[in-house]
Amino acid sequence: MKTKRTALLGILLAASLFLQSCGIIVLNNRSEEETSAPAETTVPGTTAPPDTTAPPPETKVVHTDRSEEYQAYADAYLARIRDSGFAFEGESFFISSPRTDLLMPADTENTHSAAIYKRNQAVEDALNIRIAVSATDETAYFDLLNTSILADEYFSDLLLIPEYQIGTFAAGNVLLNLRSAPLLDLNQPYFFADSLEAATGGSRIFAAAGSASFEETTLSAVFFNRDLFRENGVDIPFDLVYEGKWTWDAFFASCAEAEGINKYASANGLGSFSSYSTQYAAELLPAMVFASCGGRMVRSEVNASPVIGISDTDSAIFDVISRLHREPYAHRETESGVSRFHTGRSLYMIDRLYLMSWMPNSTQNWGILPLPKLTESQESYITLAAPETLFFAMQKNTVDSAKASVVMSALNAASYGVLSEAYTHYAMNHLLRDNDSANMLAIISASRSFDFALAFSGTTVSLAEATTTGLMELARGLSATSLLARASAANKRLASRFPASDS
């Protein structure tokens, strides 16, 4: 490692200027070759669509623009739905959601919101409808819907509900089984397969997430302080990510550099530095680590009772969770985790992507990385979406489930790849500091994952004890044997609540 005197003094000066305005690196000055249009894309039906579960081919310097390619597929998917023969007559279609910007942004000036507005226009023109979005109080959502159903009154044509509330809505018996919704093909690529597993109990599919309900900001990333790395001779991990070698062992190896940094800082009265901090992701961090290592807290299939997926074969993952909690230079005060990173006092911060919008003018030269893998041989990076991520659902007494199915399909079809690409471009131009981080954002967005435990733990105590809260207790010292012993009680409860079939 280099001598740290100059590095630390520079970092401390940056900290003293925290959040003062500074220019961000311009990312869209590309060569003519780099900005040329991609080759014409064959429409669906003649070739496989681009795989949105894996990062697109890309260089290490410039993010590959796939907007036109995704737009071609989205247009073709929407055309299929338009030509299916289901007729509309210019009526309004109402969607309830606790967050309306995902469907009806107030500001259409930036790339992402403009793409949402364009998507809406395409769906409205294709189906001859008008989309109307109503904001619904998240804390009163279930009660409002339940009261409407009990009175046999209309509430909304389609629902967007947070993942963590699916269990409450399911227990209250207010949702239509999406398996019975006509004209709804949940096997299409614009619906996320593992979201169906997360929202399936026994013979019922309660909700589904797709390209139209996805918000990149519900994912998490490993933020890192580029200057703190470079000035102290710590390797920037971008190449490890590109090579598939960004593992938790590699993460801990760079965390170990905090020891040398702190020795010098202590000897020179420069305060202390942390290996990593976290704040808004703290409560879910062990579950996020478990998912990033390829684990699944609950496995659920149609016509089968959900079962706990955590087993004694996950000992290597348990070790990562424990090591992260025991990391000697971790910043322990989660209420100040963001401040710790923002003021240049932490190598890493593991937290929500929405924090990017807080940092465009930060004096810290930050970048982002996906959560590490367990081993280099693991197929892909995996990022567990936050419990607030939105899912589409229908109320059980919906006026016209066929109409709701067509619009739900159309919204997701017209969003396929397009909105995520638009968000990446928005982040490149307004939030991120470098092109490598734009590539990292594309990888993170493609690594999204959902889990039944997040959808139903709030209404099933034994499930939480065996999964989300259990993993947190494991980090704090609970033995693996004790955690695994909880699976039996949880599985019995799940089998009772979600029998393999209704018959």
Side-chain angles (χ1 to χ4, degrees):
M1 182 183 295
K2 298 180 193 175
T3 301
K4 304 179 183 63
R5 179 179 179 82
T6 303
L8 286 169
L9 290 174
I11 291 162
L12 289 172
L13 176 61
S16 70
L17 299 174
F18 169 54
L19 288 183
Q20 292 183 18
S21 177
C22 69
I24 61 175
I25 297 172
V26 177
L27 301 172
N28 55 355
N29 291 337
R30 306 176 184 176
S31 68
E32 182 177 348
E33 179 182 357
E34 289 166 344
T35 56
S36 60
E40 183 177 353
T41 304
T42 306
V43 299
T46 59
T47 188
D51 183 2
T52 59
T53 64
E58 54 202 13
T59 69
K60 293 183 181 180
V61 178
V62 177
H63 174 71
T64 302
D65 187 348
R66 303 186 73 193
S67 302
E68 292 188 22
E69 180 181 0
Y70 280 127
Q71 190 65 61
Y73 278 94
D75 290 345
Y77 287 136
L78 180 59
R80 281 184 177 179
I81 297 168
R82 179 198 63 205
D83 298 339
S84 64
F86 194 89
F88 293 87
E89 300 178 354
E91 64 264 40
S92 293
F93 185 90
F94 292 90
I95 306 174
S96 293
S97 175
R99 302 191 294 277
T100 59
D101 279 354
L102 184 61
L103 291 173
M104 199 69 68
D107 172 22
T108 59
E109 295 300 319
N110 70 62
T111 307
H112 186 235
S113 58
I116 294 173
Y117 181 74
K118 181 181 177 182
R119 185 274 317 275
N120 288 354
Q121 286 189 311
V123 171
E124 290 179 336
D125 293 344
L127 301 183
N128 189 24
I129 61 170
R130 291 296 172 263
I131 297 171
V133 183
S134 60
T136 305
D137 182 358
E138 189 168 333
T139 61
Y141 204 158
F142 170 77
D143 290 334
L144 292 170
L145 177 59
N146 188 48
T147 299
S148 175
I149 290 174
L150 290 175
D152 197 25
E153 295 176 347
Y154 168 84
F155 184 80
S156 189
D157 294 309
L158 198 59
L159 312 173
L160 273 171
I161 60 177
E163 183 181 18
Y164 77 90
Q165 288 189 335
I166 293 174
T168 298
F169 281 56
N173 193 29
V174 297
L175 299 179
L176 180 77
N177 183 358
L178 294 184
R179 294 181 68 197
S180 67
L183 308 178
L184 183 62
D185 183 0
L186 294 173
N187 293 317
Q188 289 296 323
Y190 41 80
F191 291 114
F192 303 150
D194 63 347
S195 79
L196 302 181
E197 183 176 356
T200 294
S203 62
R204 300 174 64 82
I205 299 177
F206 296 100
S211 299
S213 65
F214 178 55
E215 298 166 286
E216 285 78 7
T217 52
T218 64
L219 298 176
S220 292
V222 180
F223 294 78
F224 72 103
N225 188 313
R226 295 162 61 88
D227 288 340
L228 193 56
F229 269 67
R230 284 178 173 148
E231 298 298 336
N232 290 280
V234 185
D235 291 337
I236 299 291
F238 285 140
D239 282 343
L240 291 179
V241 177
Y242 291 123
E243 295 165 5
K245 298 178 179 179
W246 176 233
T247 65
W248 282 105
D249 281 342
F251 172 84
F252 289 124
S254 54
C255 283
E257 301 287 358
E259 180 177 5
I261 294 173
N262 277 290
K263 282 182 179 179
Y264 181 87
S266 177
N268 291 274
L270 298 176
S272 64
F273 292 79
S274 302
S275 53
Y276 83 91
S277 66
T278 186
Q279 186 163 338
Y280 298 98
E283 185 177 354
L284 196 63
L285 187 54
M288 288 164 47
V289 173
F290 188 80
S292 76
C293 294
R296 197 156 190 86
M297 290 182 285
V298 177
R299 301 190 179 278
S300 184
E301 300 177 359
V302 174
N303 290 332
S305 296
V307 295
I308 302 300
I310 302 173
S311 71
D312 55 8
T313 63
D314 295 318
S315 58
I317 306 179
F318 297 160
D319 181 59
V320 172
I321 293 172
S322 297
R323 285 177 68 190
L324 190 63
H325 188 75
R326 299 193 312 267
E327 164 56 38
Y329 291 98
H331 182 67
R332 305 295 177 191
E333 299 173 1
T334 57
E335 67 276 8
S336 59
V338 172
S339 176
R340 185 70 172 175
F341 182 78
H342 276 192
T343 53
R345 290 287 177 171
S346 185
L347 286 168
Y348 291 114
M349 176 178 68
I350 306 174
D351 226 309
R352 302 280 188 252
L353 275 177
Y354 67 71
L355 294 177
M356 292 192 303
S357 65
W358 298 7
M359 300 193 294
N361 294 322
S362 169
T363 56
Q364 303 308 313
N365 185 14
W366 55 273
I368 59 171
L369 305 158
L371 268 71
K373 301 190 291 185
L374 178 62
T375 64
E376 293 180 16
S377 62
Q378 184 176 312
E379 184 176 354
S380 61
Y381 300 101
I382 303 171
T383 308
L384 186 65
E388 295 79 19
T389 191
L390 296 175
F391 279 56
F392 283 100
M394 301 178 198
Q395 65 186 82
K396 72 173 184 179
N397 65 336
T398 185
V399 175
D400 191 336
S401 59
K403 175 181 175 182
S405 297
V406 171
V407 177
M408 175 176 162
S409 298
L411 283 168
N412 285 284
S415 304
Y416 178 77
V418 174
L419 296 191
S420 283
E421 189 71 12
Y423 182 79
T424 298
H425 280 275
Y426 161 71
M428 286 170 67
N429 288 307
H430 298 283
L431 305 177
L432 297 171
R433 302 298 184 90
D434 63 276
N435 286 298
D436 284 297
S437 288
N439 287 338
M440 298 299 109
L441 177 59
I443 291 171
I444 294 166
S445 297
S447 74
R448 58 188 171 259
S449 178
F450 312 89
D451 200 288
F452 182 98
L454 300 189
F456 293 90
S457 287
T459 56
T460 308
V461 174
S462 59
L463 171 60
E465 291 176 341
T467 57
T468 52
T469 60
L471 288 171
M472 177 60 79
E473 292 176 45
L474 179 78
R476 294 170 177 168
L478 179 73
S479 70
T481 301
S482 297
L483 173 64
L484 296 173
R486 298 176 179 184
S488 177
N491 285 334
K492 288 179 181 178
R493 178 68 182 116
L494 292 173
S496 173
R497 184 174 173 188
F498 304 105
S501 74
D502 290 334
S503 59

